Amino acid sequence: MDFQKNLSARYNSLTKQGRRLADFICENQAKSIRMTAKSLGEASNTSAATVIRLSHQLGYESFEMMKISLAKDSVGDELNAPMDTIISDGDSVPDIVQKLYRNRLEALSATMALMDYADIKKTITLIQKARKIYLFGVGSSGLIAQEFCNRLNRIGKVCIFLSDSHTNLQYASVIDRGDLVIGFSYSGETKEVYLAAENAFKRGIPVIAVTRNRANSLSAWANITLTIPDIEKRVRVGSLTSAMSQMFIVDILYMSLLQKDFNKYESKLVETARIVNQLRE
């Protein structure tokens, strides 16, 4: 619910106290979000009861729900304002928070814009049919690959990833028909990843590449390329935006896979959780 539009539509029907409170909130949005009903009433020369009443008059279940709506409006205003998202010397903590938030929104929006839903569906089908799934990635991309491997193993998909890239690469020589290779590399030029993809591709084993939207060595050896935006900047956040985009792809694949047979996968998730919980007993 858009706070400003909601307020504008009902403003004339508010009491004098209600309008005074509404005016104060509009002039002090950031400050109002952090206030209690009592402190907001005092600051606006109204009362806590007026704050609660205004929340209900605007259609919110509670004052907290109204603050959430107000916060969304505030964030929207901040996002529409021009901002250099490069993190630099002298930035305050709020500056860093806003810049990182903006970077993540930009990364997710750009990833969606590049998304080929047909390729997503094909990838899900390949994961479903695969006898074993081999994942490759180094550095931050390796962390994404490892997380995906853990998720797939939890639902009964046999998945292999080793944090030691050299040892992991050795597995490329034993990948067989019926298996699947998924390589993660933002640059697409990580040798440990594209060599594994090349070896599998030449042997007729399907390869999925998760890499940036630019021709590279990994995508050259992939049957399907799930592209992420080529928007890494000179920021000191390094691979944060690319990792966010790759994780978004993983989330989409994983949740889409679960949705295909939720009852089956849910039982496996429950069982794996039960076993791990035994460690706490």
Side-chain angles (χ1 to χ4, degrees), residues 71-107:
K72 289 180 180 178
D73 269 14
S74 298
V75 169
D77 291 341
E78 290 171 358
L79 290 178
N80 290 328
M83 176 188 287
D84 179 5
T85 57
I86 302 300
I87 295 176
S88 57
D89 292 338
D91 280 344
S92 65
V93 171
D95 289 337
I96 293 172
V97 169
Q98 289 188 32
K99 288 183 177 184
L100 288 177
Y101 182 71
R102 180 79 68 90
N103 277 325
R104 278 158 173 71
L105 287 181
E106 288 179 357

Side-chain angles (χ1 to χ4, degrees), residues 140-154:
S140 61
S141 294
L143 295 175
I144 303 298
Q146 184 176 35
E147 171 62 18
F148 196 25
C149 185
N150 291 338
R151 293 188 189 186
L152 292 175
N153 278 323
R154 281 199 65 193

Side-chain angles (χ1 to χ4, degrees), residues 161-173:
F161 172 82
L162 297 176
S163 56
D164 183 282
S165 57
H166 291 174
T167 305
N168 203 29
L169 185 58
Q170 291 175 8
Y171 276 88
S173 64

Side-chain angles (χ1 to χ4, degrees), residues 12-264:
N12 290 333
S13 65
L14 298 177
T15 64
K16 183 177 180 180
Q17 289 284 85
R19 290 197 295 272
R20 179 186 297 168
L21 172 61
D23 292 341
F24 179 86
I25 292 174
C26 290
E27 294 169 5
N28 303 273
Q29 289 193 35
K31 183 178 179 181
S32 297
I33 293 168
R34 295 190 292 271
M35 288 182 168
T36 63
K38 180 180 178 181
S39 61
L40 180 55
E42 292 174 349
S44 60
N45 292 318
T46 58
S47 66
T50 302
V51 174
I52 301 302
R53 190 180 305 113
L54 177 65
S55 302
H56 294 159
Q57 287 175 326
L58 296 182
Y60 300 104
E61 294 180 4
S62 65
F63 173 51
E64 292 303 318
M65 294 302 296
M66 185 176 78
K67 287 204 295 183
I68 290 173
S69 179
L70 182 60
K72 289 180 180 178
D73 269 14
S74 298
V75 169
D77 291 341
E78 290 171 358
L79 290 178
N80 290 328
M83 176 188 287
D84 179 5
T85 57
I86 302 300
I87 295 176
S88 57
D89 292 338
D91 280 344
S92 65
V93 171
D95 289 337
I96 293 172
V97 169
Q98 289 188 32
K99 288 183 177 184
L100 288 177
Y101 182 71
R102 180 79 68 90
N103 277 325
R104 278 158 173 71
L105 287 181
E106 288 179 357
L108 295 179
S109 296
T111 303
M112 283 187 65
L114 292 171
M115 199 165 290
D116 186 321
Y117 295 109
D119 283 344
I120 293 288
K121 291 178 181 179
K122 290 176 185 176
T123 300
I124 294 166
T125 299
L126 287 171
I127 293 174
Q128 286 180 299
K129 294 181 177 179
R131 182 179 66 94
K132 290 181 182 178
I133 302 167
Y134 291 83
L135 294 167
F136 296 88
V138 176
S140 61
S141 294
L143 295 175
I144 303 298
Q146 184 176 35
E147 171 62 18
F148 196 25
C149 185
N150 291 338
R151 293 188 189 186
L152 292 175
N153 278 323
R154 281 199 65 193
I155 60 174
K157 299 299 299 182
V158 180
C159 192
I160 297 172
F161 172 82
L162 297 176
S163 56
D164 183 282
S165 57
H166 291 174
T167 305
N168 203 29
L169 185 58
Q170 291 175 8
Y171 276 88
S173 64
V174 299
I175 297 172
D176 207 347
R177 296 278 182 170
D179 295 337
L180 173 66
V181 168
I182 306 179
F184 292 82
S185 171
Y186 169 71
S187 69
E189 302 300 336
T190 305
K191 200 167 186 179
E192 294 89 339
V193 179
Y194 75 70
L195 283 179
E198 178 182 1
N199 177 73
F201 185 88
K202 287 181 176 179
R203 293 164 57 200
I205 297 161
V207 175
I208 310 297
V210 182
T211 186
R212 63 179 169 173
N213 187 34
R214 184 187 298 185
N216 56 60
S217 299
L218 176 57
S219 60
W221 299 110
N223 301 91
I224 298 174
T225 299
L226 304 180
T227 53
I228 59 176
D230 185 16
I231 57 174
E232 285 292 5
K233 301 177 180 179
R234 65 182 188 276
V235 285
R236 298 178 185 133
V237 296
S239 60
L240 286 183
T241 53
S242 62
M244 175 67 65
S245 296
Q246 291 181 78
M247 197 68 238
F248 188 36
I249 295 292
V250 164
D251 287 341
I252 291 168
L253 294 176
Y254 182 66
M255 295 308 298
S256 298
L257 187 62
L258 289 181
Q259 185 267 342
K260 292 293 184 182
D261 195 345
F262 185 76
N263 290 334
K264 169 187 171 183

